[in-house]
Amino acid sequence: MGECSVRPIVVNQVGYPLRGEKLAVFTGGSHQFRVVEEATGAVVLEGVSGPARFDVSCGATLHTGDFSELTAPGRYRIEQVDGAASAVFSLAERPYHELQQGLLKAFYYYRCGVTLTEEFAGPWAHQACHTAEGRVHGNELLVQDSAGGWHDAGDYGKYSGPGAKAVADLLLAYELYPSSFESAIPLPESDGVMLDVLHECKVELDWLFKMFDPATGGVFHKLTTLKFPGLDVMPEDDRAELYFSPVSAAATGDVAAVMALAARIYEPFDHVYAEKCLQAALRAWEWLERHPQVPGFVNPPDIVTGEYGDAVDTDERYWAAAELLRTTGEEKYHTAVQELAQLDYPKYSLGWADMGGYGTLAYLLRGETIADAALYATLKEGLLAEAARLMEQSAADGYRISLREEDYIWGSNMLVMNHALLLLAAEHVSGDRRYAACALDHLHYLLGRNVLDISYVTGFGDQSVRHPHHRPSVGDGVEAPVPGLVAGGPDRGLHDEYVVEHLQGKPAAQCFADHELSYSTNEVTIYWNSPAVFVAARFNLLK
């Protein structure tokens, strides 16, 4: 597996919008540069890069070249006088249309329990998988339907909380930026009536209905085999027994919230389905009310698949109350939001463990005129303060993103995209487009404007991830990986054997390996794709 060369000029390898700031990042000293039209070789702009700065996170001296004056559609590269050149990139009105389509199509490739046909999956087609019933852990005589939904990541587990986060990101993207989703992917369900993003979310929602414990109304935390299959095992060949892990408050809160959100979104298209979602949300909420104090989830001793442990469930309860308030308007949920908002937990985080940010967004999106004035003001002020903090961190970073050196953790690209999503939420509630400009810098980073000169999205960019830790991509015999998958990104903690052997002493932002064995830097998941869809959708709005 050959390593990509790192060019001294890095750009967003997909492209830039016609209007707004356009920057390339150079390593080394200051340089004269020129922008060259790919087709003709004509020089269309010349410039000089700005002052250099040493960036600790990436371990390099960096400076930027501004080519914002160029606004003509086309394909270009940036060159230095010594002949060094960047990737070729596009300038277009909607440069991220195909990217958004690919990021969303990835969820189709993650589908479980159905045959992915060549018509829609191309060379990445495979047979139906994991169609057997699952056993309830601790009550193995009880079996129930477990098929459907999305595989969570590079393995074949399915997890209620992370699945709810992914659906929430996609539904919020549709709610805020519906015109960005008008083009069909297409999917087998495409019908010209309901947009494909809603068809795809329904795949996961239909599976989440199956995660309810019929005896209690709580939600099983996850559905997995006892251990992971081999890295080259295709999904249809993974035939080990499936187990529903015990109910957790975190999973139950997440599912209550996302079902309440879905009830609103699907109501104009299918009243019966929307009502089913609402009833599921109410059932989960009733379980939460009956179980105010619940221990955090930990894996049963004989299950060694991903735990997604979560010791604090207050944030999930807050999100559930806020979504139920927004959907039903009932005052009891308003009271619950007000009470839960007084407790101490992150209220602006959008990660699978800390879901409080979704509760805050639900409350703010409901509208100021029907909110508690003091609470609305506090939450809005807090959101904008967090967004301002991210902007300040981005301004201090050589690649204009909000990660500090210590933020290059396992799944750092989730932070990159979650931060961008939060910045866009701040834009939505404030009208200040500076937040969007900062969010776009985060997308530039994901697509190649980074110290490794790599696009972290498979199939997009001339030096994109080629060898993700993703079982179908390893086992299918197809040279190219499944496209549209977001890789986890640099992890300074060196949490797998491959990077321990190969990346010792590297700066934080360089602790990434495009190798199938590097599960801590190069795995993929649905909830790294979902905020990327949201961000791409913001910059694909039809004018």
Side-chain angles (χ1 to χ4, degrees):
M1 298 180 184
E3 296 293 327
C4 293
S5 60
V6 178
R7 292 164 287 212
I9 313 167
V10 295
V11 295
N12 180 326
Q13 296 171 16
V14 172
Y16 297 79
L18 296 180
R19 289 167 288 280
E21 186 178 56
K22 306 175 190 72
L23 299 178
V25 178
F26 297 74
T27 52
S30 181
H31 290 281
Q32 292 182 331
F33 68 89
R34 54 182 177 254
V35 184
V36 177
E37 189 175 41
E38 182 195 21
T40 65
V43 176
V44 296
L45 187 71
E46 294 183 300
V48 178
S49 59
R53 70 166 92 174
F54 182 77
D55 188 276
V56 174
S57 294
C58 70
T61 298
L62 309 173
H63 47 112
T64 57
D66 192 326
F67 56 102
S68 304
E69 292 179 27
L70 182 60
T71 58
R75 288 182 60 75
Y76 304 91
R77 66 180 179 271
I78 297 176
E79 295 180 348
Q80 295 174 178
V81 293
D82 63 2
S86 73
V88 174
F89 57 89
S90 295
L91 293 191
E93 189 71 43
R94 298 174 73 205
Y96 312 122
H97 174 70
E98 293 302 322
L99 171 73
Q100 182 187 329
Q101 296 288 87
L103 290 166
L104 185 54
K105 177 66 176 285
F107 289 89
Y108 170 77
Y109 293 117
Y110 276 118
R111 287 190 189 186
C112 180
V114 296
T115 297
L116 302 190
T117 65
E118 191 172 337
E119 178 183 1
F120 294 99
W124 302 285
H126 64 75
Q127 296 303 307
C129 59
H130 305 102
T131 56
E133 292 182 314
R135 297 188 180 277
V136 175
H137 192 275
N139 185 11
E140 278 72 6
L141 295 178
L142 179 61
V143 296
Q144 62 186 58
D145 183 9
S146 68
W150 301 320
H151 297 142
D152 173 70
D155 60 273
Y156 302 130
K158 294 183 287 189
Y159 302 81
S160 299
K165 178 213 165 11
V167 172
D169 290 340
L170 297 180
L171 293 183
L172 286 169
Y174 163 76
E175 182 179 16
L176 269 58
Y177 314 121
S179 70
S180 295
F181 292 93
E182 292 186 357
S183 298
I185 298 298
L187 300 173
E189 298 83 3
S190 298
D191 58 9
V193 177
M194 193 165 73
L195 297 181
D196 280 353
V197 64
L198 301 186
H199 285 299
E200 194 56 62
C201 287
K202 192 172 180 291
V203 169
E204 183 75 351
L205 290 166
D206 287 346
W207 174 74
L208 286 172
F209 288 131
K210 300 178 181 182
M211 293 301 286
F212 278 84
D213 176 5
T216 68
V219 175
F220 295 119
H221 193 79
K222 64 178 190 172
L223 176 82
T224 69
T225 52
L226 295 179
K227 61 182 181 179
F228 293 123
L231 187 55
D232 62 350
V233 174
M234 288 296 287
E236 61 266 39
D237 297 325
D238 179 29
R239 298 190 180 93
E241 196 90 62
L242 292 164
Y243 288 87
F244 292 92
S245 285
V247 167
S248 74
T252 305
D254 286 335
V255 171
V258 80
M259 287 293 179
L261 168 57
R264 293 196 308 275
I265 297 295
Y266 287 91
E267 176 62 34
F269 303 99
D270 187 338
H271 169 73
V272 172
Y273 190 76
E275 183 63 23
K276 182 179 179 181
C277 292
L278 179 57
Q279 292 306 313
L282 295 173
R283 188 181 185 199
W285 179 260
E286 289 167 2
W287 185 95
L288 293 171
E289 287 187 310
R290 294 196 307 272
H291 299 83
Q293 301 292 331
V294 183
F297 177 84
V298 295
N299 265 341
D302 55 339
I303 296 182
V304 296
T305 53
E307 184 173 76
Y308 288 102
D310 191 349
V312 178
D313 58 44
T314 319
D315 50 322
E316 287 86 4
R317 293 171 185 267
Y318 170 61
W319 181 28
E323 294 288 5
L324 280 161
L325 170 63
R326 194 170 176 214
T327 298
T328 69
E330 292 185 21
E331 191 58 31
K332 68 176 182 178
Y333 300 116
H334 202 176
T335 300
V337 170
Q338 291 169 303
E339 292 175 351
L340 288 162
Q342 305 307 311
L343 303 178
D344 184 23
Y345 54 90
K347 296 183 181 64
Y348 307 99
S349 174
L350 302 167
W352 60 262
D354 295 318
M355 304 286 270
Y358 293 99
T360 294
L361 291 183
Y363 195 77
L364 294 176
L365 290 172
R366 183 170 179 252
E368 186 172 7
T369 58
I370 52 176
D372 174 83
L375 179 57
Y376 185 94
T378 297
L379 293 177
K380 181 177 178 180
E381 180 182 356
L383 174 65
L384 298 183
E386 178 64 8
R389 183 183 72 81
L390 296 178
M391 288 182 66
E392 183 179 355
Q393 288 174 191
S394 300
D397 180 78
Y399 292 97
R400 307 281 289 266
I401 63 165
S402 55
L403 299 195
R404 301 158 299 181
E405 187 178 14
E406 60 267 30
D407 294 326
Y408 287 90
I409 60 172
W410 192 329
S412 61
N413 282 340
M414 180 186 72
L415 290 185
V416 173
M417 288 294 98
N418 282 351
H419 289 180
L421 196 164
L422 187 135
L423 286 160
L424 294 174
E427 180 203 25
H428 185 81
V429 302
S430 70
D432 189 338
R433 293 200 171 187
R434 291 178 301 171
Y435 297 119
C438 188
L440 184 54
D441 280 329
H442 288 63
L443 189 61
H444 293 327
Y445 167 90
L446 189 75
L447 296 172
R449 202 177 73 185
N450 55 60
V451 69
L452 297 178
D453 188 22
I454 189 169
S455 169
Y456 289 112
V457 183
T458 58
F460 288 86
D462 75 332
Q463 293 194 159
S464 60
V465 166
R466 298 277 304 171
H467 308 288
H469 181 87
H470 177 241
R471 280 165 177 78
S473 292
V474 174
D476 61 11
V478 180
E479 182 178 359
V482 171
L485 307 179
V486 176
D491 171 22
R492 68 196 292 259
L494 303 183
H495 285 106
D496 65 64
E497 296 84 352
Y498 184 87
V499 295
V500 166
E501 181 180 350
H502 292 87
L503 299 181
Q504 291 291 341
K506 291 283 189 182
Q510 295 191 41
C511 290
F512 173 82
D514 184 14
H515 196 285
E516 65 194 36
L517 295 180
S518 182
Y519 54 84
S520 69
T521 74
N522 208 29
E523 192 168 6
V524 295
T525 85
I526 54 174
Y527 55 86
W528 297 342
N529 261 71
S530 56
V533 171
F534 184 103
V535 176
R538 162 60 182 85
F539 299 105
N540 277 332
L541 289 171
L542 293 170
K543 305 301 181 184

PDB file of all heavy atoms in Angstrom, residues 49-63:
ATOM      1  N   SER A  49       2.317  34.429  -1.154  1.00  0.00           N
ATOM      2  CA  SER A  49       1.746  33.900   0.078  1.00  0.00           C
ATOM      3  C   SER A  49       2.066  34.818   1.249  1.00  0.00           C
ATOM      4  O   SER A  49       3.019  35.596   1.226  1.00  0.00           O
ATOM      5  CB  SER A  49       2.262  32.487   0.346  1.00  0.00           C
ATOM      6  OG  SER A  49       3.671  32.487   0.453  1.00  0.00           O
ATOM      7  N   GLY A  50       1.268  34.705   2.297  1.00  0.00           N
ATOM      8  CA  GLY A  50       1.368  35.595   3.437  1.00  0.00           C
ATOM      9  C   GLY A  50       2.431  35.184   4.426  1.00  0.00           C
ATOM     10  O   GLY A  50       3.226  34.266   4.185  1.00  0.00           O
ATOM     11  N   PRO A  51       2.467  35.842   5.575  1.00  0.00           N
ATOM     12  CA  PRO A  51       3.491  35.569   6.589  1.00  0.00           C
ATOM     13  C   PRO A  51       3.439  34.123   7.071  1.00  0.00           C
ATOM     14  O   PRO A  51       2.378  33.510   7.157  1.00  0.00           O
ATOM     15  CB  PRO A  51       3.131  36.534   7.731  1.00  0.00           C
ATOM     16  CG  PRO A  51       2.244  37.557   7.117  1.00  0.00           C
ATOM     17  CD  PRO A  51       1.537  36.910   5.993  1.00  0.00           C
ATOM     18  N   ALA A  52       4.599  33.582   7.391  1.00  0.00           N
ATOM     19  CA  ALA A  52       4.694  32.197   7.863  1.00  0.00           C
ATOM     20  C   ALA A  52       4.400  32.120   9.352  1.00  0.00           C
ATOM     21  O   ALA A  52       4.623  33.071  10.101  1.00  0.00           O
ATOM     22  CB  ALA A  52       6.082  31.636   7.560  1.00  0.00           C
ATOM     23  N   ARG A  53       3.904  30.978   9.778  1.00  0.00           N
ATOM     24  CA  ARG A  53       3.719  30.700  11.195  1.00  0.00           C
ATOM     25  C   ARG A  53       4.012  29.218  11.424  1.00  0.00           C
ATOM     26  O   ARG A  53       3.727  28.380  10.561  1.00  0.00           O
ATOM     27  CB  ARG A  53       2.301  31.037  11.654  1.00  0.00           C
ATOM     28  CG  ARG A  53       1.253  30.106  11.115  1.00  0.00           C
ATOM     29  CD  ARG A  53      -0.072  30.263  11.856  1.00  0.00           C
ATOM     30  NE  ARG A  53      -0.941  31.222  11.221  1.00  0.00           N
ATOM     31  CZ  ARG A  53      -2.187  31.452  11.612  1.00  0.00           C
ATOM     32  NH1 ARG A  53      -2.688  30.816  12.653  1.00  0.00           N
ATOM     33  NH2 ARG A  53      -2.946  32.332  11.002  1.00  0.00           N
ATOM     34  N   PHE A  54       4.561  28.924  12.583  1.00  0.00           N
ATOM     35  CA  PHE A  54       4.798  27.521  12.915  1.00  0.00           C
ATOM     36  C   PHE A  54       3.559  26.979  13.607  1.00  0.00           C
ATOM     37  O   PHE A  54       3.067  27.571  14.576  1.00  0.00           O
ATOM     38  CB  PHE A  54       6.015  27.354  13.827  1.00  0.00           C
ATOM     39  CG  PHE A  54       6.302  25.909  14.152  1.00  0.00           C
ATOM     40  CD1 PHE A  54       6.912  25.086  13.221  1.00  0.00           C
ATOM     41  CD2 PHE A  54       5.936  25.371  15.381  1.00  0.00           C
ATOM     42  CE1 PHE A  54       7.160  23.745  13.506  1.00  0.00           C
ATOM     43  CE2 PHE A  54       6.178  24.040  15.674  1.00  0.00           C
ATOM     44  CZ  PHE A  54       6.803  23.224  14.733  1.00  0.00           C
ATOM     45  N   ASP A  55       3.061  25.870  13.106  1.00  0.00           N
ATOM     46  CA  ASP A  55       1.864  25.257  13.670  1.00  0.00           C
ATOM     47  C   ASP A  55       2.269  24.015  14.462  1.00  0.00           C
ATOM     48  O   ASP A  55       2.801  23.051  13.895  1.00  0.00           O
ATOM     49  CB  ASP A  55       0.885  24.879  12.553  1.00  0.00           C
ATOM     50  CG  ASP A  55      -0.444  24.412  13.093  1.00  0.00           C
ATOM     51  OD1 ASP A  55      -0.556  23.213  13.438  1.00  0.00           O
ATOM     52  OD2 ASP A  55      -1.366  25.240  13.187  1.00  0.00           O
ATOM     53  N   VAL A  56       2.031  24.062  15.767  1.00  0.00           N
ATOM     54  CA  VAL A  56       2.467  22.973  16.646  1.00  0.00           C
ATOM     55  C   VAL A  56       1.744  21.673  16.323  1.00  0.00           C
ATOM     56  O   VAL A  56       2.356  20.596  16.287  1.00  0.00           O
ATOM     57  CB  VAL A  56       2.245  23.362  18.120  1.00  0.00           C
ATOM     58  CG1 VAL A  56       2.549  22.180  19.032  1.00  0.00           C
ATOM     59  CG2 VAL A  56       3.102  24.557  18.488  1.00  0.00           C
ATOM     60  N   SER A  57       0.438  21.733  16.061  1.00  0.00           N
ATOM     61  CA  SER A  57      -0.340  20.509  15.855  1.00  0.00           C
ATOM     62  C   SER A  57       0.162  19.703  14.669  1.00  0.00           C
ATOM     63  O   SER A  57       0.166  18.471  14.697  1.00  0.00           O
ATOM     64  CB  SER A  57      -1.817  20.852  15.654  1.00  0.00           C
ATOM     65  OG  SER A  57      -2.379  21.403  16.824  1.00  0.00           O
ATOM     66  N   CYS A  58       0.581  20.403  13.611  1.00  0.00           N
ATOM     67  CA  CYS A  58       1.023  19.671  12.422  1.00  0.00           C
ATOM     68  C   CYS A  58       2.543  19.613  12.318  1.00  0.00           C
ATOM     69  O   CYS A  58       3.080  18.904  11.461  1.00  0.00           O
ATOM     70  CB  CYS A  58       0.419  20.267  11.163  1.00  0.00           C
ATOM     71  SG  CYS A  58       1.047  21.882  10.723  1.00  0.00           S
ATOM     72  N   GLY A  59       3.256  20.365  13.147  1.00  0.00           N
ATOM     73  CA  GLY A  59       4.704  20.304  13.163  1.00  0.00           C
ATOM     74  C   GLY A  59       5.363  20.894  11.940  1.00  0.00           C
ATOM     75  O   GLY A  59       6.397  20.394  11.486  1.00  0.00           O
ATOM     76  N   ALA A  60       4.776  21.944  11.380  1.00  0.00           N
ATOM     77  CA  ALA A  60       5.320  22.534  10.151  1.00  0.00           C
ATOM     78  C   ALA A  60       5.124  24.042  10.161  1.00  0.00           C
ATOM     79  O   ALA A  60       4.252  24.572  10.860  1.00  0.00           O
ATOM     80  CB  ALA A  60       4.640  21.931   8.923  1.00  0.00           C
ATOM     81  N   THR A  61       5.959  24.719   9.379  1.00  0.00           N
ATOM     82  CA  THR A  61       5.796  26.154   9.150  1.00  0.00           C
ATOM     83  C   THR A  61       4.885  26.342   7.951  1.00  0.00           C
ATOM     84  O   THR A  61       5.133  25.794   6.866  1.00  0.00           O
ATOM     85  CB  THR A  61       7.164  26.818   8.887  1.00  0.00           C
ATOM     86  OG1 THR A  61       7.979  26.644  10.048  1.00  0.00           O
ATOM     87  CG2 THR A  61       6.997  28.297   8.595  1.00  0.00           C
ATOM     88  N   LEU A  62       3.839  27.115   8.153  1.00  0.00           N
ATOM     89  CA  LEU A  62       2.780  27.255   7.153  1.00  0.00           C
ATOM     90  C   LEU A  62       2.535  28.713   6.819  1.00  0.00           C
ATOM     91  O   LEU A  62       2.770  29.604   7.640  1.00  0.00           O
ATOM     92  CB  LEU A  62       1.473  26.657   7.683  1.00  0.00           C
ATOM     93  CG  LEU A  62       1.519  25.238   8.235  1.00  0.00           C
ATOM     94  CD1 LEU A  62       0.173  24.885   8.857  1.00  0.00           C
ATOM     95  CD2 LEU A  62       1.883  24.251   7.141  1.00  0.00           C
ATOM     96  N   HIS A  63       2.050  28.935   5.614  1.00  0.00           N
ATOM     97  CA  HIS A  63       1.552  30.251   5.244  1.00  0.00           C
ATOM     98  C   HIS A  63       0.519  30.075   4.150  1.00  0.00           C
ATOM     99  O   HIS A  63       0.459  29.031   3.479  1.00  0.00           O
ATOM    100  CB  HIS A  63       2.677  31.187   4.802  1.00  0.00           C
ATOM    101  CG  HIS A  63       3.627  30.574   3.822  1.00  0.00           C
ATOM    102  ND1 HIS A  63       3.729  30.983   2.527  1.00  0.00           N
ATOM    103  CD2 HIS A  63       4.528  29.562   3.963  1.00  0.00           C
ATOM    104  CE1 HIS A  63       4.650  30.257   1.894  1.00  0.00           C
ATOM    105  NE2 HIS A  63       5.147  29.395   2.747  1.00  0.00           N
TER     106      HIS A  63
END
